[in-house]
């Protein structure tokens, strides 16, 4: 899992748009280096979201992962590889952790599989040719590949007040758990 809490001017990934190199690398191989470098170098990021290791089995809860949020950086985006796959991932893009300008205490979102549009193939395989020309990020056909239209995971973000520095938030995800703080 890699992502960030960030300003509204930033987008890490978006359905209907071409995947940036860092998202492509995570989706195809799980390699986070390019995306981590972009996040680390961005003035629009408040807090990096990074889970130290992958997980390979279903029905796993990972976490907590803590990160900061504030009024200038209320959005969260993250990606994680769906493996084995040609170039599939799941995550959230530009999720606002506020409702009517106030940070919510808890928010649960369904996670669906997305195709990064960078490798051909619709089977659970990692040995696929590049898509030429590169396509755009699109939702994977859940019914055909996952046996239905249900999400492949859920993320629950939980706001944790911190007495000295504002708010910390958390997200629990079937597969991952993140925590966010408000500064």
């Amino acid at each position: 899992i890699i992502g960030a809490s960030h300003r509204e001017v930033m987008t890490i990934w978006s359905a209907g748009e071409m995947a940036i190199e860092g998202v492509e690398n995570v989706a195809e191989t799980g390699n986070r280096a390019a995306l981590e470098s972009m996040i680390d170098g961005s003035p629009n990021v408040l807090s990096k979201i990074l889970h130290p290791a992958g997980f390979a089995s279903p029905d796993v809860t990972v976490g907590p992962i803590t990160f900061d949020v504030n009024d200038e950086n209320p959005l969260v985006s993250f990606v994680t590889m769906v493996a084995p796959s040609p170039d599939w991932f799941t995550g959230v893009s530009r999720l606002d952790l506020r409702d009517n300008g106030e940070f919510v205490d808890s928010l649960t979102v369904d996670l669906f599989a997305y195709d990064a549009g960078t490798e051909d193939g619709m089977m659970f395989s990692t040995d696929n040719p590049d898509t030429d020309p590169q396509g755009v990020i699109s939702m994977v056909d859940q019914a055909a590949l996952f046996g239905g239209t249900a999400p492949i995971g859920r993320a629950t973000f939980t706001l944790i007040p911190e007495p000295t520095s504002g708010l910390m938030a958390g997200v629990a995800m079937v597969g991952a758990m993140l925590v966010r703080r408000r500064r």
Side-chain angles (χ1 to χ4, degrees):
I1 298 170
I2 182 162
S5 61
H6 55 87
R7 298 180 187 272
E8 293 188 20
V9 298
M10 182 175 186
T11 301
I12 293 175
W13 69 273
S14 182
E17 300 292 326
M18 291 177 69
I20 62 173
E21 177 189 10
V23 172
E24 175 182 2
N25 291 349
V26 170
E28 291 180 7
T29 67
N31 185 320
R32 306 182 294 206
L35 189 53
E36 187 170 6
S37 179
M38 184 207 82
I39 288 168
D40 286 343
S42 175
N44 298 310
V45 168
L46 173 64
S47 192
K48 179 170 50 178
I49 298 168
L50 185 65
H51 185 269
F55 47 91
S57 60
D59 300 322
V60 173
T61 299
V62 176
I65 301 170
T66 60
F67 60 94
D68 298 324
V69 293
N70 61 23
D71 290 328
E72 293 79 34
N73 299 273
L75 304 182
V76 63
S77 299
F78 71 84
V79 296
T80 188
M81 179 184 190
V82 174
S85 72
D87 59 347
W88 304 337
F89 68 95
T90 192
V92 297
S93 176
R94 300 178 48 80
L95 179 65
D96 195 334
L97 299 176
R98 301 169 300 178
D99 183 26
N100 294 320
E102 298 293 323
F103 283 96
V104 296
D105 290 331
S106 182
L107 176 64
T108 298
V109 295
D110 289 335
L111 301 175
F112 294 91
Y114 288 88
D115 184 315
T118 58
E119 280 194 0
D120 290 339
M122 286 302 294
M123 301 305 296
F124 292 101
S125 168
T126 57
D127 185 24
N128 301 284
D130 289 344
T131 301
D132 187 21
Q134 180 176 336
V136 297
I137 296 171
S138 60
M139 192 176 290
V140 172
D141 183 352
Q142 307 288 127
L145 294 168
F146 299 106
T149 57
I152 63 168
R154 287 191 176 84
T156 301
F157 296 83
T158 305
L159 188 63
I160 303 167
E162 279 194 323
T164 58
S165 66
L167 297 174
M168 174 172 46
V171 67
M173 180 175 118
V174 174
M177 179 171 200
L178 305 169
V179 179
R180 70 184 196 268
R181 292 188 290 255
R182 181 172 175 208
R183 280 191 185 169

